Amino acid sequence: MSIRYQSTRSNAEPISSAEAILQGIAKDKGLYVPTEFPVFDKDFKELANGNYQEIALYVLKKYLGDFEESELKDAVDKAYDDKFDTPEIAPIAKKCGAYFLELYHGKTIAFKDMALSILPYLLTKAAKKLGEDKEIVILTATSGDTGKAALEGFADVPNTKIIVFYPANGVSEIQKRQMITQEGKNTYVIGLRGNFDDAQRGVKALFNDRELNEELNQNGFLFSSANSINIGRLVPQVAYYVYAYAKLLKDGEIQEGEKINFVVPTGNFGNILAAYYAKQMGLPIHKLICASNENNVLTDFIRTGAYDIQREFVVTISPSMDILISSNLERLLYEISGRDGTFVQNRMNQLDEEKRYEIPSQMREGLKDFYGEYATESETLNTIQKVYEESKYVIDTHTAVAYCVYEKYKQETKDPTKTVIVSTASPFKFTKSVANALTRDNQEEDEFRLIQVLADFAKIPIPAVLRDIGQKEILHRTECEKDEMKEVVKNILGI
Ligand SMILES: *Cc1c(COP(=O)(O)O)cnc(C)c1O
């Protein structure tokens, strides 16, 4: 029997994985979760013989059993091909006493490519399986990286349109340029005058707008989501945790069964949740170390059991983690509450109304897999410099948050467990901060010229996708206010 999916907010009948992927979010506003976790039926030594594609296929088959194996294989082969600049797809660098799992070798040089290069295939195959002939409208809020990765994934995919809202002043110059130069007849990019939480809230409201959905329906459209609320994004992310473990085993870095830690620079809690899913499946993981920047809501939650968003929203140099409402935490709450949809529903309502909630003390037991800590802005910059000085290895600001938190973790716990730093972006994606951290020279303001400065200074090659970014034609200029999102979407669809 294939694993089925149910909403985190009700006890409604579970649905198939194809249905869950197509719907994106449940009608009761909950997120889809597997009704059970699959387990490994191969040992890791055996898995370690496979390449990235084989391991990804193995994981996908476990979670998406209502797809044919041939459909999943086709999706995997098309997603993880030479779009990635290394055949390893997710190489591991051993530096500074840790293993850096580089998830930024795809087209947009950030880890969102790992899932968003496969989601369009899963989604269109799901639609076909379910006999859905409406045009799929992907609606996405982005803190910078999801947007571009989703645009790349869905550009010119037949029978889809993709609409991306990004915070107009909340993403890096390079992130913005990557998005507003996006080609593809079905792509729409809008700068929202607000922050990421505004964008995410607005998009969720559109998904849940009955009237709008009805109108869409009548005009032959159907909303779906490329955000990590879509289970079709989460499942492909489980694969690289399994891959990392298998690779370390194969390289003789760890023994079979030996537990390892993962440090995950966290925003919407999607990436670290995928690691938690891997652990539930039986991957030998000791601690899941949740690294935050100064928007440290999750650090406090893990340490106290209180989730409180009544605090200043800080725009940081790791903008993809500038998030106060981490959507995927809802999926963890569901698990640690013993799969209590009513509990989750109530907490989410409370968060909406009172801007905070707490979990009962016995439930905090369920958080013991996690360790939470954060890095300040100056600690982040110092970490980039320190890692470079020690090993000539250049990391981006998000990865630096993770490594800094790892050092704090080691100091606090003295835990000798081997640890993987999940490296979520190329240093070239956040050139200004990285170049400033390394050269301590703020003279050059132009982020595009800084690409060359960074390459020359650290003697590292510029990623191919960035070589001509400064010259690319700007194709998207629309901006809008928070209360105009619905109008903008209707205009795009001509309804
Ligand atoms: C999206 C993103 C994150 C945060 O990942 P979540 O799954 O939202 O927790 C971290 N780093 C980078 C570079 C990202 O793009």
Side-chain angles (χ1 to χ4, degrees):
M1 254 286 278
S2 316
I3 288 177
R4 297 178 71 77
Y5 288 81
Q6 70 187 63
S7 165
T8 47
R9 297 198 193 181
S10 72
N11 300 318
E13 258 311 280
I15 58 177
S16 70
S17 68
E19 289 170 302
I21 289 171
L22 191 61
Q23 279 189 35
I25 191 165
K27 295 225 163 46
D28 58 30
K29 307 187 190 175
L31 308 185
Y32 284 112
V33 285
T35 48
E36 62 187 295
F37 287 103
V39 289
F40 293 102
D41 52 10
K42 284 186 182 176
D43 61 35
F44 297 111
K45 276 239 163 68
E46 200 182 335
L47 274 174
N49 291 324
N51 58 16
Y52 191 87
Q53 291 82 349
E54 285 162 326
I55 291 178
L57 179 61
Y58 177 80
V59 171
L60 290 178
K61 269 166 42 186
K62 295 262 169 215
Y63 280 96
L64 312 178
D66 48 311
F67 286 77
E68 305 291 332
E69 177 163 353
S70 59
E71 292 176 308
L72 295 178
K73 184 167 188 326
D74 182 61
V76 164
D77 289 344
K78 286 182 173 146
Y80 306 116
D81 63 2
D82 56 14
K83 283 195 287 299
F84 285 77
D85 67 11
T86 160
E88 284 183 86
I89 307 295
I92 296 176
K94 186 178 179 182
K95 305 278 177 190
C96 290
Y99 302 93
F100 288 79
L101 175 64
E102 298 181 355
L103 300 179
Y104 52 78
H105 289 272
K107 272 193 106 169
T108 76
I109 58 176
F111 94 96
K112 304 294 193 297
D113 289 325
M114 301 304 293
L116 282 164
S117 49
I118 194 165
L119 183 67
Y121 298 105
L122 298 178
L123 195 65
T124 48
K125 284 175 201 295
K128 203 161 157 198
K129 286 177 97 58
L130 299 169
E132 181 57 71
D133 52 9
K134 292 196 194 72
E135 184 166 2
I136 301 169
V137 180
I138 304 294
L139 206 54
T140 293
T142 184
S143 58
D145 293 329
T146 294
K148 178 61 183 178
L151 287 161
E152 278 295 341
F154 282 96
D156 292 325
V157 171
N159 218 27
T160 68
K161 280 193 184 6
I162 165 133
I163 307 176
V164 169
F165 289 94
Y166 69 93
N169 296 315
V171 298
S172 86
E173 239 355 89
I174 290 172
Q175 286 179 314
K176 180 169 175 177
R177 187 66 67 93
Q178 281 185 315
M179 287 191 277
I180 62 179
T181 56
Q182 177 68 45
E183 294 168 15
K185 288 188 294 297
N186 62 340
T187 64
Y188 304 87
V189 180
I190 298 114
L192 180 75
R193 299 195 194 102
N195 62 33
F196 171 70
D197 286 318
D198 296 322
Q200 177 156 267
R201 202 176 299 117
V203 162
K204 276 192 179 169
L206 295 180
F207 276 124
N208 294 317
D209 184 326
R210 284 250 165 92
E211 198 188 351
L212 179 64
N213 277 281
E214 194 49 43
E215 237 175 303
L216 240 60
N217 212 334
Q218 283 162 9
N219 288 280
F221 296 111
L222 177 75
F223 274 148
S224 190
S225 166
N227 280 102
S228 54
I229 53 176
N230 194 317
I231 193 74
R233 246 191 75 180
L234 217 48
V235 168
Q237 293 185 354
V238 175
Y240 47 75
Y241 290 101
V242 181
Y243 176 77
Y245 190 88
K247 185 76 170 65
L248 290 179
L249 189 62
K250 189 174 177 184
D251 292 349
E253 299 288 344
I254 54 172
Q255 305 297 314
E256 176 123 51
E258 181 175 344
K259 287 189 175 177
I260 60 173
N261 298 323
F262 284 100
V263 191
V264 188
T266 297
N268 222 355
F269 208 76
N271 201 0
I272 196 165
L273 186 80
Y276 175 81
Y277 278 24
K279 180 167 180 165
Q280 299 306 106
M281 292 170 75
L283 196 69
I285 297 177
H286 176 50
K287 283 282 176 193
L288 299 165
I289 300 171
C290 178
S292 299
N293 63 24
E294 288 180 7
N295 295 292
N296 56 355
V297 193
L298 288 164
T299 309
D300 293 345
F301 176 70
I302 291 168
R303 292 184 172 232
T304 68
Y307 197 90
D308 190 340
I309 60 169
Q310 300 165 100
R311 60 179 80 205
E312 193 195 342
F313 181 93
V314 190
V315 175
T316 72
I317 53 172
S318 47
S320 304
M321 297 155 67
D322 289 349
I323 292 174
L324 293 181
I325 303 176
S326 300
S327 294
N328 279 292
L329 188 65
E330 174 168 351
R331 288 185 160 117
L332 180 66
L333 280 187
Y334 186 74
E335 299 303 327
I336 66 173
S337 66
R339 310 196 153 197
D340 183 345
T342 315
F343 174 85
V344 175
Q345 173 82 69
N346 289 339
R347 290 303 158 280
M348 293 300 116
N349 289 347
Q350 211 180 349
L351 186 60
D352 266 353
E353 288 153 18
E354 298 162 30
K355 310 297 171 206
R356 77 185 298 282
Y357 65 80
E358 255 174 71
I359 57 170
S361 53
Q362 77 275 13
M363 212 178 270
R364 287 179 56 197
E365 185 60 14
L367 296 177
K368 70 178 189 315
D369 291 336
F370 292 87
Y371 170 92
E373 185 49 277
Y374 76 102
T376 64
E377 295 289 89
S378 60
E379 286 172 334
T380 307
L381 290 172
N382 290 341
T383 301
I384 294 173
Q385 191 174 32
K386 184 177 163 222
V387 168
Y388 182 71
E389 276 169 7
E390 260 181 60
S391 64
K392 294 285 167 279
Y393 185 58
V394 186
I395 57 175
D396 95 294
T397 48
H398 302 76
T399 308
V401 167
Y403 189 76
C404 178
V405 164
Y406 173 52
E407 295 217 299
K408 292 184 179 185
Y409 170 78
K410 271 195 303 192
Q411 206 154 50
E412 188 181 324
T413 64
K414 314 281 183 246
D415 176 15
T417 306
K418 287 171 189 148
T419 297
V420 173
I421 311 292
V422 176
S423 307
T424 50
S426 156
F428 284 101
K429 196 145 192 180
F430 302 93
T431 317
K432 188 179 269 171
S433 309
V434 174
N436 287 349
L438 294 180
T439 63
R440 297 290 161 159
D441 175 3
N442 297 308
Q443 298 295 311
E444 178 61 78
E445 274 299 306
D446 184 329
E447 203 156 345
F448 302 104
R449 271 204 295 274
L450 271 171
I451 294 175
Q452 193 61 53
V453 172
L454 178 59
D456 292 344
F457 179 87
K459 302 187 186 59
I460 47 175
I462 299 173
V465 289
L466 284 189
R467 270 177 217 142
D468 60 347
I469 179 116
Q471 285 81 54
K472 272 196 157 170
E473 190 189 348
I474 292 172
L475 300 169
H476 305 271
R477 297 182 186 274
T478 312
E479 287 200 359
C480 81
E481 303 293 336
K482 285 180 260 187
D483 57 2
E484 293 171 343
M485 291 171 68
K486 183 167 173 177
E487 264 333 290
V488 168
V489 169
K490 287 176 78 167
N491 276 339
I492 289 170
L493 302 178
I495 59 176

